[in-house]
Amino acid sequence: MKTVILPAILLSVPTLAFAQAPDDAPGEASQIIVTGAGLDLPPGTPAYGSVVIDRQRLLDSASGRIESVLGDVAGFQQFRRSDSRSSNPSNQGATLRALGGNASSRTLMLLDGVPIADPFFGYIPFSALAPERLSVVRVTRGGGIGAFGAGAVAGTIELASATRAQLPDFSASAFYGSRDSTEVSAGLTQDLGGGYVSLSGRWDRGDGFHTTPKDQRVAATVPAAYDGWSTNLRAVAPISATSELQFRATLFEDNRTLRFAGADSMSQGQDASIRYINRGAWQVDALAYVQARNFSNIVMSSSTFRKSLDQRNTPSTGIGGKIEIRPPVGPDHVLRLGVDTRFATGDMYEDAYNAMSGATTFRRHAGGDQWTTGAFVEDDWTPEGLGGKLILTGGVRGDRWSIRNGFYHQVSATTGAATGSDYANRSDWEVSGRVGALYRASDAVALRTAAYSGFRLPTLNELYRPFVVFPITTQANAALTPEKLKGVEAGIDLTPLTGLTLSATAFYNRLDDAIANVTNPLIANTRKRQNVDRIVAKGVELTAAAALGDIRLSASYAYNHSMVRAPGAAFNGFTPAQSPRHAASATVAYSPASGPTLSTTLRYVAKQYEDDLQSDVLPDALTLDAIARLPIGHGLSLVARGENLFDETIVTRNAGGSMDLGTPRTLWIGVSFGR
């Protein structure tokens, strides 16, 4: 009996061989070992200059959080510099290439092919994405992708679940850290028939640190305590020698307290997806998913320290799916044909209070629906006769989008008077595409170029929900139109020596109708979400990786020159909010086959501005993280981790001098087990 192993790595490029071996005797059974991966990436993928983060790097995070590891890719940023322990969840949108600060994600983030952004807000639930559950992460800076391409204006981050070969039968870890922090996780993976089932859970909590500078603290100021958990079930079952069924379900809840006692936020979710993969002559990737999410948040008055707003309930639902088919069109082409759809609906319920008396003043209800349905076609062509040196790739997609049933209603709690609006339904078509070329001049040199376009719908949050972060009130705007990006780039990949790779990319991106929080010059401390004419971002990205025996080195640098074009506006020609010009990261890891291991990461982020008028500065920051492992035996290791070892002061928010701070020096000690 032969063993046929279906390939494991989602992010590898070579064409795979699968199906029963030709020398199997008639009637001889084949044992199928499935791994739960998706289809191979098309051969033209390298033309778009992706950066891959491997599993070992994911496990060697000093913070143990995925958003910190993504910081290895210079240019990755959230709306604020805080991680998922000390930031309001609604701030945690992901973006790339300094296209302007926005709490909604300008980057399409996928887990096993499924979009994971919150259906109402557009933020990423980072606390639910445990690094130990992942195999690899691929980050593509720049717009355009095949399935679920609507939303990939700044790029795409693709996460793949760990494969069976990477998951021990049982794993567990327990850590204790600064400020009475604990982190506990466990995973159980068992073979079942020809497939497997994996169940994992994680719980972390901490008393937190003071996000408020010492000279701004008052009696009501408290540390940013956090308490969250997540659990994940994944099952993979073979259907035939070339096909399998994959199921995933994730439950999570995250509770945080920020700045003042009683300023509590909660986010939770219940996600599920099912995916069919066929690696036969007609390759198929079909999936369906559902997301049930909720969010609540209490805003405390900064003068009376009593509740001023209770965003008590924000239920939302996301439903979607895709079908992608790759027909057999000959050895020179990989053709992708597909359709996908996403539906999002959500409501916001909040109560406003008189911060002096504590009496309820208004009750508000807002919400709406969004629907995007698209079709795409993409082809990767490797011309015959050139020895595979040249690969041409191109694709186009068309999307029909609609924004429907939008409303914002407010009722006075004292008089019963109702105000607000029901907004007209809107719909339209968007066509986007991308083309690229990869030329391997030699084994050591590869040249690439690409051009692309894309769009992003405003989220329900941007359209209908105002918010307050003292002392600034930001108003919603139901008339927002989609953002549209056009971009070009060119790059070179060098492999001068075995184990050494160097890459450089120069890019120009233009985001038309960019959604920004625009200061109102007539009303103090007030901003409104608006479409500005455009944001132009151009720059250079450098990456390097080397393997020297037991030592691994990696580095990333991004120079982003971003500018707002808004003729007649006060901020015309300014740098977009939350957009650093320089960002860099470098990691050195010592990891022998046996014995102690050590990994250190140095990161730098240049200064950036909190607001569109460049009046509030967030200074630059340099941080050092480290993690060390000492194997004890029988799968058990002693682990020490350190975050921000320089104890750098990281300013994450600055509104007229009212500041929030990021993670100070944090030390962890614990054990891990896996066999």
Side-chain angles (χ1 to χ4, degrees):
M1 180 177 68
K2 287 189 175 288
T3 299
V4 180
I5 301 179
L6 300 185
I9 304 300
L10 171 69
L11 304 180
S12 60
V13 173
T15 302
L16 300 180
F18 32 74
Q20 188 168 321
D23 59 345
D24 281 351
E28 185 180 2
S30 292
Q31 180 184 354
I32 305 166
I33 302 176
V34 298
T35 57
L39 296 178
D40 279 354
L41 293 176
T45 300
Y48 301 105
S50 302
V51 178
V52 174
I53 303 173
D54 63 23
R55 177 168 171 80
Q56 189 58 52
R57 177 66 190 113
L58 291 169
L59 297 177
D60 285 343
S61 166
S63 69
R65 315 188 84 79
I66 187 65
E67 64 269 29
S68 298
V69 184
L70 289 171
D72 285 5
V73 181
F76 167 82
Q77 65 180 110
Q78 301 176 76
F79 179 54
R80 302 202 186 279
R81 295 173 174 179
S82 309
D83 66 20
S84 54
R85 294 167 293 190
S86 59
S87 175
N88 190 288
S90 62
N91 288 335
Q92 296 192 268
T95 193
L96 295 158
R97 285 191 169 164
L99 285 171
N102 192 311
S104 302
S105 293
R106 286 193 166 112
T107 299
L108 177 63
M109 200 160 180
L110 305 170
L111 174 58
D112 297 330
V114 175
I116 58 176
D118 184 87
F120 186 90
F121 292 92
Y123 70 81
I124 305 299
F126 285 110
S127 60
L129 302 173
E132 62 267 19
R133 299 173 188 160
L134 301 177
S135 171
V136 285
V137 176
R138 185 167 66 97
V139 180
T140 303
R141 292 173 285 198
I145 193 175
F148 298 118
V153 292
T156 309
I157 300 174
E158 297 168 88
L159 292 75
S161 292
T163 64
R164 179 63 182 101
Q166 295 169 327
L167 292 170
D169 290 347
F170 176 73
S171 62
S173 66
F175 290 90
Y176 181 79
S178 303
R179 297 171 291 278
D180 198 26
S181 302
T182 56
E183 176 193 304
V184 180
S185 66
L188 178 66
T189 304
Q190 295 294 308
D191 297 327
L192 183 63
Y196 66 92
V197 175
S198 181
L199 177 64
S200 62
R202 179 169 175 163
W203 172 59
D204 54 5
R205 62 153 306 280
D207 290 346
F209 60 91
H210 277 286
T211 61
T212 308
K214 191 171 184 178
D215 60 356
Q216 296 182 11
R217 296 174 195 168
V218 295
T221 303
V222 294
Y226 65 96
D227 191 336
W229 60 267
S230 68
T231 185
N232 187 76
L233 173 66
R234 192 159 190 261
V236 181
I239 297 176
S240 70
T242 60
S243 62
E244 64 186 50
L245 202 61
Q246 305 169 6
F247 171 80
R248 179 175 56 83
T250 301
L251 309 177
F252 67 89
E253 182 171 308
D254 191 344
N255 296 277
R256 309 178 199 176
T257 298
L258 300 177
R259 199 173 178 92
F260 298 125
D264 302 327
S265 68
M266 183 279 298
S267 61
Q268 63 179 201
Q270 303 87 40
D271 296 0
S273 66
I274 189 166
R275 189 182 195 187
Y276 169 76
I277 297 291
N278 191 323
R279 301 181 176 88
W282 284 75
Q283 298 185 27
V284 178
D285 183 352
L287 65 85
Y289 70 88
V290 61
Q291 302 164 329
R293 304 281 181 85
N294 205 342
F295 171 81
S296 64
N297 184 56
I298 295 175
V299 178
M300 305 297 291
S301 167
S302 59
S303 56
T304 66
F305 311 112
R306 303 181 68 170
K307 183 164 57 176
S308 61
L309 186 67
D310 184 359
Q311 298 163 336
R312 54 188 171 82
N313 196 22
T314 315
S316 63
T317 303
I319 302 173
K322 78 157 187 178
I323 299 176
E324 177 183 328
I325 299 174
R326 301 183 185 180
V329 292
D332 298 340
H333 292 269
V334 175
L335 178 64
R336 303 171 64 198
L337 307 170
V339 295
D340 56 67
T341 187
R342 281 187 284 176
F343 173 74
T345 183
D347 293 85
M348 175 207 73
Y349 299 89
E350 69 178 25
D351 299 331
Y353 294 85
N354 183 309
M356 297 298 293
S357 67
T360 304
T361 55
F362 294 100
R363 302 190 188 280
R364 300 169 183 144
H365 182 201
D369 304 331
Q370 289 183 332
W371 202 310
T372 305
T373 299
F376 64 92
V377 56
E378 188 162 282
D379 183 51
D380 288 29
W381 176 34
T382 307
E384 187 178 2
L386 296 179
K389 290 187 174 182
L390 177 65
I391 301 175
L392 303 174
T393 178
V396 64
R397 61 173 292 131
D399 287 277
R400 177 69 173 177
W401 61 264
S402 65
I403 299 174
R404 306 178 62 84
N405 304 321
F407 65 94
Y408 179 85
H409 297 159
Q410 177 175 277
V411 177
S412 171
T414 55
T415 67
T419 58
S421 298
D422 293 315
Y423 303 107
N425 296 337
R426 295 184 283 155
S427 62
D428 204 349
W429 285 92
E430 294 289 345
V431 177
S432 53
R434 64 178 183 172
V435 294
L438 175 70
Y439 178 68
R440 295 188 175 94
S442 67
D443 291 340
V445 179
L447 305 174
R448 50 185 165 79
T449 185
Y452 38 78
S453 64
F455 80 101
R456 181 185 76 88
L457 284 183
T459 63
L460 298 173
N461 175 59
E462 292 170 315
L463 291 166
Y464 308 125
R465 173 185 170 263
F467 69 95
V468 178
V469 178
F470 176 82
I472 306 297
T473 298
T474 301
Q475 300 171 338
N477 184 353
L480 291 172
T481 59
E483 300 178 327
K484 301 175 184 179
L485 179 128
K486 296 180 177 66
V488 294
E489 62 186 63
I492 182 171
D493 301 320
L494 304 175
T495 312
L497 300 171
T498 301
L500 174 63
T501 60
L502 305 169
S503 296
T505 302
F507 68 89
Y508 175 93
N509 284 183
R510 191 184 81 187
L511 185 65
D512 294 327
D513 297 322
I515 298 172
N517 298 333
V518 177
T519 299
N520 187 333
L522 302 178
I523 305 176
N525 295 327
T526 302
R527 297 175 187 158
K528 185 175 183 178
R529 299 185 180 103
Q530 292 184 8
N531 291 105
V532 300
D533 186 56
R534 68 186 57 171
I535 294 174
V536 175
K538 51 189 176 182
V540 176
E541 297 157 345
L542 307 176
T543 60
L548 307 172
D550 295 332
I551 299 176
R552 294 180 293 113
L553 303 96
S554 62
S556 178
Y557 167 75
Y559 169 77
N560 297 293
H561 186 280
S562 300
M563 186 176 295
V564 178
R565 297 296 188 189
F571 51 85
N572 182 44
F574 285 9
T575 300
Q578 308 290 341
S579 299
R581 183 153 293 186
H582 303 275
S585 175
T587 297
V588 179
Y590 173 70
S591 53
S594 60
T597 65
L598 175 67
S599 178
T600 61
T601 299
L602 188 69
R603 291 197 182 94
Y604 173 76
V605 178
K607 76 171 184 179
Q608 59 198 65
Y609 297 101
E610 173 76 21
D611 63 325
D612 56 326
L613 298 180
Q614 296 187 176
S615 57
D616 297 317
V617 177
L618 306 177
D620 60 353
L622 179 69
T623 60
L624 176 68
D625 295 346
I627 179 171
R629 298 179 186 274
L630 176 63
I632 299 174
H634 304 288
L636 189 66
S637 295
L638 181 66
V639 184
R641 305 183 337 211
E643 305 176 57
N644 191 7
L645 293 174
F646 294 154
D647 202 21
E648 178 86 343
T649 298
I650 306 168
V651 179
T652 64
R653 185 187 67 90
N654 179 9
S658 174
M659 294 184 180
D660 286 337
L661 304 178
T663 306
R665 182 189 294 119
T666 303
L667 304 178
W668 298 86
I669 189 70
V671 294
S672 66
F673 174 82
R675 294 193 67 174

Short mmCIF file of all heavy atoms in Angstrom, two decimals, residues 280-323:
data_model
loop_
_atom_site.label_atom_id
_atom_site.label_comp_id
_atom_site.label_asym_id
_atom_site.label_seq_id
_atom_site.Cartn_x
_atom_site.Cartn_y
_atom_site.Cartn_z
N GLY A 280 -7.98 17.67 -8.23
CA GLY A 280 -7.97 16.83 -9.42
C GLY A 280 -7.67 17.64 -10.67
O GLY A 280 -7.17 18.77 -10.62
N ALA A 281 -8.02 17.07 -11.82
CA ALA A 281 -7.77 17.77 -13.08
C ALA A 281 -8.52 19.10 -13.12
O ALA A 281 -7.99 20.12 -13.56
CB ALA A 281 -8.18 16.88 -14.25
N TRP A 282 -9.77 19.09 -12.67
CA TRP A 282 -10.54 20.32 -12.49
C TRP A 282 -10.43 20.69 -11.00
O TRP A 282 -11.11 20.14 -10.16
CB TRP A 282 -11.99 20.11 -12.88
CG TRP A 282 -12.22 20.07 -14.37
CD1 TRP A 282 -11.91 19.05 -15.22
CD2 TRP A 282 -12.79 21.11 -15.16
NE1 TRP A 282 -12.25 19.38 -16.50
CE2 TRP A 282 -12.80 20.64 -16.51
CE3 TRP A 282 -13.30 22.38 -14.90
CZ2 TRP A 282 -13.29 21.40 -17.56
CZ3 TRP A 282 -13.79 23.14 -15.94
CH2 TRP A 282 -13.78 22.65 -17.26
N GLN A 283 -9.56 21.63 -10.71
CA GLN A 283 -9.37 22.02 -9.32
C GLN A 283 -10.50 22.95 -8.87
O GLN A 283 -10.94 23.82 -9.62
CB GLN A 283 -8.02 22.71 -9.15
CG GLN A 283 -6.84 21.81 -9.49
CD GLN A 283 -5.51 22.49 -9.19
OE1 GLN A 283 -5.42 23.36 -8.32
NE2 GLN A 283 -4.47 22.07 -9.90
N VAL A 284 -10.92 22.76 -7.63
CA VAL A 284 -12.05 23.51 -7.09
C VAL A 284 -11.72 23.96 -5.66
O VAL A 284 -11.17 23.20 -4.87
CB VAL A 284 -13.35 22.68 -7.08
CG1 VAL A 284 -14.49 23.47 -6.46
CG2 VAL A 284 -13.70 22.21 -8.48
N ASP A 285 -12.05 25.20 -5.36
CA ASP A 285 -11.98 25.73 -4.00
C ASP A 285 -13.32 26.42 -3.74
O ASP A 285 -13.60 27.49 -4.30
CB ASP A 285 -10.82 26.71 -3.87
CG ASP A 285 -10.67 27.25 -2.44
OD1 ASP A 285 -11.54 26.98 -1.60
OD2 ASP A 285 -9.66 27.95 -2.19
N ALA A 286 -14.15 25.80 -2.92
CA ALA A 286 -15.48 26.34 -2.63
C ALA A 286 -15.63 26.46 -1.12
O ALA A 286 -15.28 25.54 -0.38
CB ALA A 286 -16.57 25.45 -3.20
N LEU A 287 -16.14 27.60 -0.67
CA LEU A 287 -16.32 27.77 0.77
C LEU A 287 -17.56 28.61 1.05
O LEU A 287 -18.03 29.38 0.20
CB LEU A 287 -15.08 28.39 1.41
CG LEU A 287 -14.66 29.81 1.05
CD1 LEU A 287 -15.40 30.85 1.89
CD2 LEU A 287 -13.15 29.99 1.26
N ALA A 288 -18.04 28.45 2.26
CA ALA A 288 -19.14 29.27 2.78
C ALA A 288 -18.84 29.57 4.24
O ALA A 288 -18.23 28.76 4.94
CB ALA A 288 -20.47 28.52 2.65
N TYR A 289 -19.26 30.75 4.70
CA TYR A 289 -18.96 31.12 6.08
C TYR A 289 -20.08 31.96 6.66
O TYR A 289 -20.88 32.57 5.95
CB TYR A 289 -17.63 31.88 6.16
CG TYR A 289 -17.67 33.27 5.57
CD1 TYR A 289 -18.04 34.38 6.33
CD2 TYR A 289 -17.34 33.50 4.23
CE1 TYR A 289 -18.08 35.66 5.80
CE2 TYR A 289 -17.37 34.78 3.69
CZ TYR A 289 -17.74 35.84 4.48
OH TYR A 289 -17.79 37.10 3.94
N VAL A 290 -20.10 32.00 7.98
CA VAL A 290 -21.03 32.86 8.71
C VAL A 290 -20.30 33.43 9.92
O VAL A 290 -19.47 32.75 10.54
CB VAL A 290 -22.30 32.09 9.14
CG1 VAL A 290 -21.96 30.94 10.07
CG2 VAL A 290 -23.31 33.03 9.79
N GLN A 291 -20.56 34.70 10.23
CA GLN A 291 -19.97 35.38 11.38
C GLN A 291 -21.08 36.03 12.19
O GLN A 291 -21.92 36.75 11.63
CB GLN A 291 -18.98 36.47 10.93
CG GLN A 291 -17.84 35.97 10.07
CD GLN A 291 -17.13 37.12 9.35
OE1 GLN A 291 -17.76 38.12 9.02
NE2 GLN A 291 -15.85 36.96 9.10
N ALA A 292 -21.10 35.79 13.47
CA ALA A 292 -22.01 36.48 14.39
C ALA A 292 -21.14 37.23 15.39
O ALA A 292 -20.39 36.61 16.16
CB ALA A 292 -22.93 35.50 15.09
N ARG A 293 -21.21 38.55 15.37
CA ARG A 293 -20.32 39.36 16.19
C ARG A 293 -21.13 40.34 17.04
O ARG A 293 -22.28 40.67 16.71
CB ARG A 293 -19.35 40.17 15.31
CG ARG A 293 -18.51 39.33 14.34
CD ARG A 293 -17.34 38.66 15.02
NE ARG A 293 -16.55 37.89 14.08
CZ ARG A 293 -15.57 38.37 13.32
NH1 ARG A 293 -15.30 39.66 13.35
NH2 ARG A 293 -14.88 37.58 12.53
N ASN A 294 -20.50 40.83 18.10
CA ASN A 294 -21.13 41.86 18.93
C ASN A 294 -20.03 42.70 19.57
O ASN A 294 -18.89 42.25 19.74
CB ASN A 294 -22.02 41.25 20.00
CG ASN A 294 -23.12 42.22 20.45
OD1 ASN A 294 -23.03 43.43 20.22
ND2 ASN A 294 -24.16 41.69 21.08
N PHE A 295 -20.41 43.92 19.94
CA PHE A 295 -19.46 44.86 20.53
C PHE A 295 -20.23 45.77 21.45
O PHE A 295 -21.36 46.19 21.16
CB PHE A 295 -18.78 45.67 19.43
CG PHE A 295 -17.95 46.83 19.92
CD1 PHE A 295 -16.66 46.61 20.39
CD2 PHE A 295 -18.45 48.12 19.93
CE1 PHE A 295 -15.88 47.67 20.84
CE2 PHE A 295 -17.68 49.18 20.38
CZ PHE A 295 -16.38 48.95 20.83
N SER A 296 -19.63 46.10 22.59
CA SER A 296 -20.20 47.10 23.48
C SER A 296 -19.07 47.94 24.06
O SER A 296 -17.92 47.49 24.14
CB SER A 296 -21.02 46.44 24.61
OG SER A 296 -20.18 45.66 25.44
N ASN A 297 -19.42 49.16 24.46
CA ASN A 297 -18.38 50.09 24.90
C ASN A 297 -19.02 51.17 25.77
O ASN A 297 -20.06 51.73 25.41
CB ASN A 297 -17.69 50.72 23.70
CG ASN A 297 -16.55 51.62 24.07
OD1 ASN A 297 -15.62 51.19 24.76
ND2 ASN A 297 -16.60 52.87 23.64
N ILE A 298 -18.40 51.46 26.90
CA ILE A 298 -18.86 52.52 27.79
C ILE A 298 -17.86 53.66 27.76
O ILE A 298 -16.65 53.44 27.94
CB ILE A 298 -19.04 52.00 29.23
CG1 ILE A 298 -20.17 50.95 29.26
CG2 ILE A 298 -19.36 53.15 30.19
CD1 ILE A 298 -20.35 50.30 30.61
N VAL A 299 -18.36 54.87 27.51
CA VAL A 299 -17.52 56.06 27.49
C VAL A 299 -17.76 56.84 28.78
O VAL A 299 -18.90 57.12 29.14
CB VAL A 299 -17.85 56.94 26.26
CG1 VAL A 299 -16.99 58.21 26.28
CG2 VAL A 299 -17.64 56.17 24.97
N MET A 300 -16.67 57.16 29.48
CA MET A 300 -16.76 57.90 30.74
C MET A 300 -16.41 59.37 30.50
O MET A 300 -15.52 59.70 29.71
CB MET A 300 -15.80 57.30 31.77
CG MET A 300 -15.99 55.82 32.01
SD MET A 300 -17.63 55.40 32.69
CE MET A 300 -17.49 56.11 34.32
N SER A 301 -17.10 60.24 31.18
CA SER A 301 -16.80 61.67 31.11
C SER A 301 -15.42 61.92 31.71
O SER A 301 -15.09 61.38 32.79
CB SER A 301 -17.85 62.48 31.86
OG SER A 301 -17.41 63.80 32.07
N SER A 302 -14.63 62.74 31.03
CA SER A 302 -13.29 63.06 31.53
C SER A 302 -13.31 64.16 32.58
O SER A 302 -12.25 64.50 33.13
CB SER A 302 -12.39 63.48 30.37
OG SER A 302 -12.92 64.61 29.73
N SER A 303 -14.48 64.72 32.86
CA SER A 303 -14.57 65.76 33.89
C SER A 303 -15.29 65.25 35.14
O SER A 303 -14.84 65.50 36.26
CB SER A 303 -15.30 66.99 33.34
OG SER A 303 -16.58 66.65 32.83
N THR A 304 -16.39 64.52 34.96
CA THR A 304 -17.11 64.00 36.12
C THR A 304 -16.79 62.53 36.40
O THR A 304 -17.11 62.02 37.47
CB THR A 304 -18.63 64.13 35.91
OG1 THR A 304 -19.03 63.27 34.82
CG2 THR A 304 -19.01 65.56 35.58
N PHE A 305 -16.21 61.85 35.39
CA PHE A 305 -15.86 60.42 35.49
C PHE A 305 -17.08 59.55 35.74
O PHE A 305 -17.00 58.51 36.39
CB PHE A 305 -14.79 60.20 36.57
CG PHE A 305 -13.63 61.16 36.42
CD1 PHE A 305 -13.41 62.15 37.36
CD2 PHE A 305 -12.80 61.08 35.31
CE1 PHE A 305 -12.37 63.05 37.21
CE2 PHE A 305 -11.75 61.99 35.17
CZ PHE A 305 -11.53 62.96 36.11
N ARG A 306 -18.20 60.04 35.22
CA ARG A 306 -19.42 59.25 35.21
C ARG A 306 -19.73 58.86 33.78
O ARG A 306 -19.24 59.45 32.83
CB ARG A 306 -20.58 60.05 35.83
CG ARG A 306 -20.29 60.52 37.24
CD ARG A 306 -21.45 61.27 37.83
NE ARG A 306 -22.60 60.40 38.09
CZ ARG A 306 -23.66 60.77 38.78
NH1 ARG A 306 -23.72 61.98 39.31
NH2 ARG A 306 -24.68 59.95 38.96
N LYS A 307 -20.57 57.87 33.65
CA LYS A 307 -20.89 57.35 32.31
C LYS A 307 -21.59 58.42 31.47
O LYS A 307 -22.59 59.01 31.88
CB LYS A 307 -21.79 56.12 32.46
CG LYS A 307 -22.13 55.45 31.14
CD LYS A 307 -22.67 54.03 31.35
CE LYS A 307 -23.87 53.99 32.25
NZ LYS A 307 -24.44 52.63 32.36
N SER A 308 -21.03 58.68 30.27
CA SER A 308 -21.64 59.64 29.36
C SER A 308 -22.27 58.96 28.15
O SER A 308 -23.14 59.54 27.50
CB SER A 308 -20.62 60.68 28.90
OG SER A 308 -19.56 60.05 28.18
N LEU A 309 -21.83 57.75 27.84
CA LEU A 309 -22.36 57.03 26.67
C LEU A 309 -22.21 55.54 26.91
O LEU A 309 -21.15 55.08 27.35
CB LEU A 309 -21.60 57.44 25.41
CG LEU A 309 -22.13 56.89 24.08
CD1 LEU A 309 -23.51 57.49 23.77
CD2 LEU A 309 -21.16 57.19 22.95
N ASP A 310 -23.26 54.82 26.61
CA ASP A 310 -23.24 53.36 26.73
C ASP A 310 -23.60 52.77 25.36
O ASP A 310 -24.77 52.71 24.99
CB ASP A 310 -24.23 52.89 27.80
CG ASP A 310 -24.17 51.37 28.02
OD1 ASP A 310 -23.37 50.70 27.33
OD2 ASP A 310 -24.91 50.88 28.89
N GLN A 311 -22.57 52.39 24.61
CA GLN A 311 -22.79 51.68 23.34
C GLN A 311 -23.03 50.22 23.71
O GLN A 311 -22.14 49.38 23.65
CB GLN A 311 -21.57 51.86 22.44
CG GLN A 311 -21.32 53.32 22.09
CD GLN A 311 -19.92 53.57 21.55
OE1 GLN A 311 -19.00 52.83 21.82
NE2 GLN A 311 -19.77 54.65 20.79
N ARG A 312 -24.24 49.95 24.12
CA ARG A 312 -24.54 48.74 24.86
C ARG A 312 -24.66 47.49 24.00
O ARG A 312 -24.53 46.37 24.51
CB ARG A 312 -25.82 48.91 25.67
CG ARG A 312 -27.03 49.35 24.87
CD ARG A 312 -28.22 49.68 25.78
NE ARG A 312 -29.31 50.30 25.07
CZ ARG A 312 -30.22 49.62 24.37
NH1 ARG A 312 -30.17 48.31 24.31
NH2 ARG A 312 -31.20 50.27 23.74
N ASN A 313 -24.88 47.66 22.72
CA ASN A 313 -25.15 46.48 21.91
C ASN A 313 -24.91 46.83 20.44
O ASN A 313 -25.51 47.78 19.93
CB ASN A 313 -26.59 46.02 22.12
CG ASN A 313 -26.83 44.61 21.62
OD1 ASN A 313 -25.90 43.83 21.49
ND2 ASN A 313 -28.09 44.27 21.36
N THR A 314 -24.02 46.09 19.78
CA THR A 314 -23.79 46.30 18.35
C THR A 314 -23.74 44.94 17.67
O THR A 314 -22.68 44.48 17.23
CB THR A 314 -22.48 47.07 18.11
OG1 THR A 314 -22.39 48.17 19.01
CG2 THR A 314 -22.43 47.60 16.68
N PRO A 315 -24.85 44.25 17.56
CA PRO A 315 -24.85 42.94 16.91
C PRO A 315 -24.68 43.08 15.40
O PRO A 315 -25.23 44.00 14.78
CB PRO A 315 -26.22 42.36 17.26
CG PRO A 315 -27.09 43.57 17.45
CD PRO A 315 -26.19 44.63 18.03
N SER A 316 -23.91 42.19 14.82
CA SER A 316 -23.72 42.20 13.37
C SER A 316 -23.55 40.78 12.87
O SER A 316 -23.15 39.89 13.63
CB SER A 316 -22.51 43.06 12.97
OG SER A 316 -21.32 42.52 13.50
N THR A 317 -23.85 40.61 11.61
CA THR A 317 -23.76 39.28 10.97
C THR A 317 -23.09 39.42 9.62
O THR A 317 -23.41 40.34 8.86
CB THR A 317 -25.16 38.66 10.80
OG1 THR A 317 -25.80 38.57 12.06
CG2 THR A 317 -25.06 37.27 10.19
N GLY A 318 -22.18 38.52 9.34
CA GLY A 318 -21.57 38.43 8.03
C GLY A 318 -21.78 37.06 7.45
O GLY A 318 -21.61 36.04 8.13
N ILE A 319 -22.20 37.01 6.21
CA ILE A 319 -22.44 35.74 5.50
C ILE A 319 -21.78 35.85 4.13
O ILE A 319 -21.89 36.90 3.47
CB ILE A 319 -23.94 35.44 5.36
CG1 ILE A 319 -24.61 35.38 6.72
CG2 ILE A 319 -24.16 34.13 4.60
CD1 ILE A 319 -26.13 35.25 6.65
N GLY A 320 -21.11 34.80 3.70
CA GLY A 320 -20.48 34.88 2.38
C GLY A 320 -20.02 33.53 1.89
O GLY A 320 -20.14 32.51 2.57
N GLY A 321 -19.47 33.56 0.70
CA GLY A 321 -18.95 32.33 0.11
C GLY A 321 -18.31 32.60 -1.23
O GLY A 321 -18.38 33.70 -1.78
N LYS A 322 -17.64 31.59 -1.74
CA LYS A 322 -17.01 31.69 -3.06
C LYS A 322 -16.92 30.32 -3.69
O LYS A 322 -16.93 29.28 -3.01
CB LYS A 322 -15.61 32.30 -2.96
CG LYS A 322 -14.55 31.31 -2.49
CD LYS A 322 -13.15 31.71 -2.91
CE LYS A 322 -12.14 30.61 -2.57
NZ LYS A 322 -10.78 30.93 -3.00
N ILE A 323 -16.82 30.33 -5.00
CA ILE A 323 -16.50 29.13 -5.76
C ILE A 323 -15.43 29.52 -6.77
O ILE A 323 -15.62 30.45 -7.56
CB ILE A 323 -17.72 28.55 -6.49
CG1 ILE A 323 -18.81 28.15 -5.50
CG2 ILE A 323 -17.31 27.35 -7.35
CD1 ILE A 323 -20.09 27.66 -6.17
#
